[in-house]
C-alpha cells in the first residue's frame, strides 16, 4: 500500500485487517487524538469488549509547522524498533507493539488510555510516589543493556547503525543546542523576557559550555537514548508508568535522557510561581519536585551500578575505580543537558504547558526568568556536581537569590 495519511475510518479498516487484533466483524470506533508536534494518532475502540489500540502514523512533515518543514517517515521505523527493544528490558514500562507497517509509516500498539500524561498531573499539583523508581529503572535498564557495558560489541555496533536518525537528531541539534542561543527565526519567547534572552545570546562562557555539550551529543554514541523523554512522553497512574514516543531514539550520551527528565521536573518547579497561588503549598510542592529529582538520579545510579557489577560484558569495565569515574561524568552531563533543555523550552520553538498555562503574561515572565536562571546555573556549574543533592542545592540557591532580588527591585 503506497503511503498516504489515513482518515479515521481508514484507520479502522486497516486494523480490521490485522489478524488476531480484534474479533471478526467487530464494530470499531476511531478518534484522532494527536496533539503532538509530528504525527497522527488514532484511538481505535471496540465498545462491546472494551478492547482498544493506538494507531500512530508519521506524517511526512512536522505537524507543528506544516508542509514547509518536511520530515522523513522512517522515524516511524525508529520508534517501533525502539519500543520493541525497550519493551524487552522493561515490559511493564513501555507499551507493547502489535504491528508495524513501513510503507504507511504506521505502528499499532497497546492503548494506555487509563494513564494520563504526567505533565498534566504535575501542573495540577499531583504527587506520584512510584515515579522516581519507575523512571529510574527505565533509564538504567534501557541505557545499560544498549551500551558497550551491557551489549556484545558486535550487537551494539549493529544497533548504532539501526538507529541512525539524522533528521530528528538535526531537530535536536538546532532546537536544543543552537537556535535558542542566537536570534533565530524559530525562537518563540515571551517578549517580556527579551532582556534576559539577549543576555543569554551574549553570554560567551555559557555558550561555550553549551557548544561542548552539543559536541558530545554529536559524537558520543554511549547507549540507545529515548531522545525526547520529557513529561509529555510519560503516561502515568498512581501505580503504573508507560514511556512513549521514542521516535527521536538514537545512540548518544546517557546523560541526555536523564537530563531531559530532570529538566521537565524543574520547568514545573519554576512554573509553580504562577500555577500555585498559596505560598505554603507552592513551597511544599517545590520540595516534592526537588526530592523527586534526587530520587530519579539515585534510583538510576543504584540500578545502573548493580547492572554494571552483575552483567558488564566489557572486560575493562571491571578495572577498579572506573564505575565511579563513569557515574561522575554522567551526572555532570545530566546537569548540563537538563540546563539546555530548560533554556530551550523557554526561548525556543515548542514551549511547555507548565509555563504557558500561566495566564498572566507578567507572572509567566517571572516564572520564565527563574527557569532561565536555573538552566544557566546548571550548565555553568556542572563541573562541580558529584551528587544529586548538588543539583538541587543549585536550584535552591538560584531560587532564593531570585526572590531576594525580586523583593529589592
Amino acid at each position: 500500500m503506497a503511503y498516504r495519511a489515513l482518515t479515521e475510518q481508514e484507520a479502522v479498516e486497516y486494523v480490521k485487517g490485522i489478524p488476531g487484533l480484534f474479533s471478526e466483524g467487530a464494530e470499531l470506533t476511531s478518534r484522532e487524538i494527536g496533539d503532538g508536534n509530528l504525527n497522527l494518532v488514532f484511538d481505535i475502540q471496540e465498545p462491546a469488549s472494551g478492547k482498544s489500540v493506538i494507531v500512530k502514523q508519521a506524517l511526512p512533515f512536522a505537524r507543528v509547522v506544516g508542509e514547509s518543514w518536511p520530515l522523513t517517515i522512517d522515524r516511524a521505523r525508529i520508534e517501533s524498533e525502539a519500543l520493541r527493544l525497550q519493551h524487552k528490558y522493561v515490559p511493564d514500562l513501555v507499551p507493547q507493539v502489535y504491528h508495524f507497517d513501513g510503507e504507511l509509516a504506521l505502528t499499532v500498539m497497546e492503548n494506555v488510555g487509563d494513564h494520563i500524561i504526567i505533565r498534566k498531573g504535575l501542573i495540577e499539583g499531583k504527587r506520584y510516589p512510584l515515579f522516581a523508581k519507575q523512571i529510574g529503572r527505565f533509564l538504567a535498564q534501557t541505557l545499560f543493556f544498549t551500551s558497550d557495558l551491557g551489549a556484545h560489541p558486535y550487537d551494539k555496533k549493529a544497533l548504532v547503525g539501526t538507529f541512525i536518525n539524522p533528521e530528528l537528531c538535526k531537530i535536536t541539534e538546532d532546537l536544543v543546542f543552537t537556535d535558542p542561543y542566537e536570534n533565530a527565526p524559530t525562537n518563540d519567547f515571551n517578549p517580556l523576557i527579551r532582556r534576559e534572552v539577549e543576555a543569554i545570546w551574549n553570554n560567551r562562557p555559557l555558550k561555550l559550555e553549551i557548544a561542548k555539550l552539543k559536541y558530545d551529543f554529536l559524537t558520543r554514541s554511549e547507549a540507545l537514548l529515548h531522545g525526547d523523554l520529557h513529561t509529555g512522553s510519560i503516561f502515568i497512574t498512581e501505580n503504573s508508568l508507560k514511556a512513549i514516543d521514542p521516535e527521536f531514539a538514537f545512540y548518544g550520551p546517557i546523560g541526555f535522557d536523564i537530563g531531559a527528565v530532570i529538566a521537565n521536573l524543574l520547568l514545573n518547579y519554576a512554573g509553580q510561581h504562577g500555577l500555585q497561588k498559596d505560598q505554603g503549598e507552592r513551597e511544599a510542592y517545590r520540595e516534592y519536585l526537588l526530592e523527586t529529582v534526587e530520587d530519579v538520579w539515585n534510583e538510576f545510579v543504584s540500578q545502573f551500578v548493580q547492572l554494571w557489577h552483575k552483567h558488564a560484558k566489557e572486560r575493562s569495565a571491571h578495572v577498579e575505580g572506573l564505575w565511579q569515574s563513569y557515574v561522575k561524568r554522567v551526572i555532570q552531563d545530566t546537569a548540563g543537558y537538563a540546563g539546555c533543555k530548560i533554556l530551550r523550552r523557554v526561548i525556543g520553538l515548542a514551549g511547555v504547558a507548565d509555563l504557558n498555562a500561566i495566564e498572566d503574561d507578567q507572572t509567566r515572565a517571572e516564572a520564565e526568568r527563574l527557569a532561565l536562571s536555573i538552566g544557566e546555573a546548571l550548565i555553568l556549574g556542572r563541573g562541580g556536581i558529584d551528587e544529586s543533592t548538588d543539583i538541587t542545592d543549585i536550584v535552591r540557591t538560584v531560587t532564593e537569590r531570585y526572590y531576594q532580588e525580586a523583593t529589592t527591585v
Side-chain angles (χ1 to χ4, degrees):
M1 184 180 293
Y3 178 87
R4 69 178 187 280
L6 298 185
T7 65
E8 290 183 347
Q9 186 56 41
E10 286 173 334
V12 166
E13 295 305 317
Y14 185 90
V15 299
K16 282 183 176 180
I18 301 174
L21 199 58
F22 290 99
S23 57
E24 188 174 347
E27 292 293 328
L28 305 181
T29 64
S30 176
R31 184 166 58 99
E32 207 283 307
I33 59 172
D35 61 354
N37 296 325
L38 301 178
N39 308 292
L40 293 173
V41 182
F42 301 96
D43 179 1
I44 310 292
Q45 303 269 350
E46 183 181 19
S49 68
K51 185 175 182 180
S52 62
V53 298
I54 291 294
V55 175
K56 183 173 181 179
Q57 184 179 32
L59 292 169
F61 52 84
R63 190 175 187 181
V64 69
V65 175
E67 294 184 12
S68 63
W69 188 344
L71 277 181
T72 176
I73 58 173
D74 186 54
R75 67 185 192 274
R77 175 193 62 82
I78 294 280
E79 177 174 15
S80 178
E81 295 195 16
L83 284 170
R84 286 185 164 129
L85 193 56
Q86 292 163 351
H87 193 270
K88 173 182 176 182
Y89 298 117
V90 281
D92 60 317
L93 301 179
V94 179
Q96 183 178 355
V97 172
Y98 301 130
H99 176 81
F100 173 69
D101 185 323
E103 292 293 325
L104 286 176
L106 176 152
T107 302
V108 182
M109 69 186 85
E110 175 188 358
N111 191 338
V112 295
D114 57 332
H115 296 57
I116 68 164
I117 292 174
I118 192 173
R119 175 174 288 147
K120 180 177 184 292
L122 295 176
I123 289 171
E124 294 173 354
K126 295 181 179 178
R127 301 178 186 230
Y128 298 97
L130 299 181
F131 167 72
K133 283 189 174 294
Q134 291 165 331
I135 200 65
R137 177 161 59 90
F138 172 87
L139 290 163
Q141 294 279 335
T142 60
L143 295 173
F144 177 83
F145 283 113
T146 59
S147 74
D148 285 297
L149 296 165
H152 187 283
Y154 294 175
D155 295 337
K156 190 263 186 174
K157 290 174 178 62
L159 285 171
V160 171
T162 297
F163 288 99
I164 290 175
N165 197 357
E167 287 198 20
L168 271 69
C169 282
K170 185 63 165 62
I171 292 175
T172 302
E173 291 155 18
D174 290 344
L175 298 187
V176 176
F177 296 111
T178 307
D179 291 355
Y181 318 112
E182 57 190 45
N183 191 14
T186 56
N187 290 335
D188 182 19
F189 57 86
N190 186 343
L192 296 178
I193 63 166
R194 186 169 190 89
R195 184 180 66 177
E196 288 77 13
V197 170
E198 290 183 348
I200 288 172
W201 292 346
N202 293 301
N203 188 331
R204 293 177 65 184
L206 177 68
K207 293 175 74 172
L208 175 59
E209 291 304 312
I210 294 168
K212 293 176 183 177
L213 288 160
K214 180 180 180 180
Y215 188 76
D216 285 345
F217 181 88
L218 292 169
T219 61
R220 257 188 20 225
S221 301
E222 285 185 333
L224 179 63
L225 306 185
H226 178 286
D228 198 26
L229 197 58
H230 53 75
T231 48
S233 297
I234 300 169
F235 275 73
I236 199 162
T237 68
E238 289 186 2
N239 301 310
S240 174
L241 178 146
K242 301 287 185 181
I244 64 167
D245 292 348
E247 60 195 314
F248 280 77
F250 82 109
Y251 263 78
I254 283 174
F256 185 80
D257 266 4
I258 312 167
V261 174
I262 288 175
N264 279 264
L265 293 170
L266 296 179
L267 283 161
N268 185 271
Y269 173 99
Q272 290 299 316
H273 178 81
L275 296 172
Q276 177 54 256
K277 292 183 171 61
D278 182 271
Q279 183 176 350
E281 292 291 333
R282 180 169 64 245
E283 291 177 358
Y285 196 71
R286 279 179 166 173
E287 280 304 306
Y288 158 73
L289 291 168
L290 294 185
E291 289 168 6
T292 303
V293 167
E294 294 175 8
D295 291 345
V296 167
W297 169 259
N298 293 339
E299 186 66 25
F300 160 76
V301 78
S302 173
Q303 293 215 23
F304 192 86
V305 171
Q306 288 181 52
L307 293 170
W308 184 311
H309 291 320
K310 190 174 181 179
H311 296 290
K313 297 181 181 296
E314 169 53 46
R315 287 159 61 188
S316 63
H318 300 288
V319 172
E320 185 177 354
L322 181 63
W323 75 262
Q324 293 93 331
S325 173
Y326 189 99
V327 166
K328 181 175 180 178
R329 191 194 69 198
V330 172
I331 196 171
Q332 291 178 352
D333 289 347
T334 293
Y337 287 123
C340 292
K341 284 281 196 173
I342 291 169
L343 298 186
R344 160 268 190 282
R345 287 293 192 175
V346 178
I347 302 172
L349 184 70
V352 288
D354 310 71
L355 296 170
N356 293 341
I358 302 171
E359 294 182 0
D360 180 72
D361 289 346
Q362 182 59 50
T363 305
R364 185 171 74 252
E366 292 164 1
E368 290 165 338
R369 291 186 188 106
L370 175 59
L372 292 178
S373 297
I374 291 170
E376 288 182 71
L378 289 175
I379 294 167
L380 292 172
R382 67 192 177 102
I385 290 175
D386 297 310
E387 304 286 347
S388 60
T389 52
D390 295 331
I391 293 176
T392 54
D393 284 348
I394 286 174
V395 176
R396 288 189 180 96
T397 299
V398 168
T399 303
E400 182 178 359
R401 183 171 64 242
Y402 177 82
Y403 284 111
Q404 284 177 346
E405 292 174 354
T407 57
T408 58
V409 173

